[in-house]
Amino acid sequence: MNFDNLKNIYQFAEHFQKEEYWQNLFQHQSSNPLPITNSPSIKNSNIFPVCDMYQKNNYFYIDMELPGMDSNKIQVNLLDNNIIEVKGYYRSLQENCAYYLKERQNLQFIKQIALPNRVEERNLQFSYKNGIYTIYFRQN
């Protein structure tokens, strides 16, 4: 995770720790709308989906948390400069129901990850098990 991503996470968390945020949230006066802030959103960052990249037995692995997704709807492209791009639409919204709690987001995502070595697109392999989408390839 790079410094900018860590900074975004800190700013996001810091916003919700402010007392004024919680006071405004629970005021039931229509004249006091919820505050509009410039805090970064997970939807608008390179945080989602969270992933790990590691090397084991001459293979590189990228594990991404994508529970409930159809793996056929995840697009993976190899860009110039050793960057892998993963695109998809994460949908958690259930139709014809009334939510009492809704924490999971519906969002379209594009995640770009810099690879440590050059790789040919034909060498990329994929698996999906228990909500973890894995991209793996042999080290050249």
Side-chain angles (χ1 to χ4, degrees), residues 21 29 31 51 76 99 106 112 114 124-125 134 136:
Y21 172 80
Q29 301 171 356
S31 62
C51 67
V76 178
Y99 278 96
N106 291 306
Q112 293 184 346
L124 293 176
Q125 298 178 51
T134 302
Y136 57 102

Side-chain angles (χ1 to χ4, degrees), residues 91-109:
R91 179 177 165 84
S92 65
L93 189 64
Q94 299 297 318
E95 296 179 14
N96 302 319
C97 68
Y99 278 96
Y100 292 92
L101 175 66
K102 180 74 177 105
E103 295 179 339
R104 297 181 308 137
Q105 299 181 46
N106 291 306
L107 59 102
Q108 186 169 357
F109 64 88

Side-chain angles (χ1 to χ4, degrees), residues 9-27:
I9 292 170
Y10 176 76
Q11 288 173 343
F12 182 78
E14 181 180 49
H15 170 72
F16 294 105
Q17 292 175 2
K18 293 180 182 174
E19 186 176 332
E20 66 190 40
Y21 172 80
W22 294 104
Q23 287 175 352
N24 288 336
L25 182 66
F26 292 107
Q27 286 180 351

Side-chain angles (χ1 to χ4, degrees), residues 62 64 66 71-79 83-88 109-113 115 119-127 133-137:
I62 300 171
M64 308 179 107
L66 292 168
S71 63
N72 294 322
K73 294 185 177 182
I74 300 170
Q75 298 175 329
V76 178
N77 301 308
L78 194 58
L79 307 177
I83 294 181
I84 197 163
E85 180 179 74
V86 183
K87 295 181 184 181
F109 64 88
I110 298 175
K111 177 108 177 180
Q112 293 184 346
I113 303 166
L115 301 176
V119 63
E120 302 270 335
E121 194 159 2
R122 61 185 161 85
N123 293 334
L124 293 176
Q125 298 178 51
F126 311 95
S127 69
Y133 187 74
T134 302
I135 304 167
Y136 57 102
F137 53 93

